[in-house]
Amino acid sequence: MGNQIEQGQIITGKVTGIQPYGAFIALDNGTQGLVHISEITHGFVKDIHDYLQVGEEVTVKVMSVNKDEGKISLSIRATQEAKPSAVQPVRRLKIDENNEGFNTLKDKLQEWIDQSGVGK
């Protein structure tokens, strides 16, 4: 394994293989790294083939280099800007001016009947 690749580098490679768990990327110096499925893009990836094809050139960030095991962990996601999530922030419950919070229907029923004027 070449010693030129260091953690944090952003480099270009070519997809050489795709497995359900990730994509193998050939790097410039004859080494190969793996982009785990969770590092393909922001958000959920069900099928890597929807995002990558064998032979495609990709820009990756080197996440870790394990020289003892000869493994290089890569990320495509780390080279992309995160898009705002479609999930909306949780709205806080406002307590009204009368300082009323949650009440059971049984507690509120008589109040609503009185307010509606039914039976008068």
Side-chain angles (χ1 to χ4, degrees), residues 59-73:
T59 301
V60 295
K61 181 175 183 177
V62 179
M63 302 307 287
S64 67
V65 178
N66 185 330
K67 293 180 182 180
D68 295 335
E69 296 181 15
K71 294 182 179 179
I72 300 173
S73 176

Side-chain angles (χ1 to χ4, degrees), residues 24-96:
F24 291 95
I25 310 295
L27 305 173
D28 308 9
N29 61 358
T31 60
Q32 184 168 273
L34 175 71
V35 176
H36 186 267
I37 189 169
S38 65
E39 293 294 330
I40 299 292
T41 190
H42 295 278
F44 178 75
V45 174
K46 183 175 182 178
D47 185 357
I48 296 172
H49 291 94
D50 293 340
Y51 297 88
L52 299 174
Q53 297 176 20
V54 173
E56 178 180 357
E57 283 201 3
V58 292
T59 301
V60 295
K61 181 175 183 177
V62 179
M63 302 307 287
S64 67
V65 178
N66 185 330
K67 293 180 182 180
D68 295 335
E69 296 181 15
K71 294 182 179 179
I72 300 173
S73 176
L74 305 170
S75 174
I76 297 171
R77 180 178 76 165
T79 66
Q80 302 168 340
E81 187 175 321
K83 295 178 183 172
S85 174
V87 176
Q88 297 296 319
V90 176
R91 289 189 224 160
R92 303 261 180 222
L93 177 66
K94 293 182 182 178
I95 297 178
D96 65 19

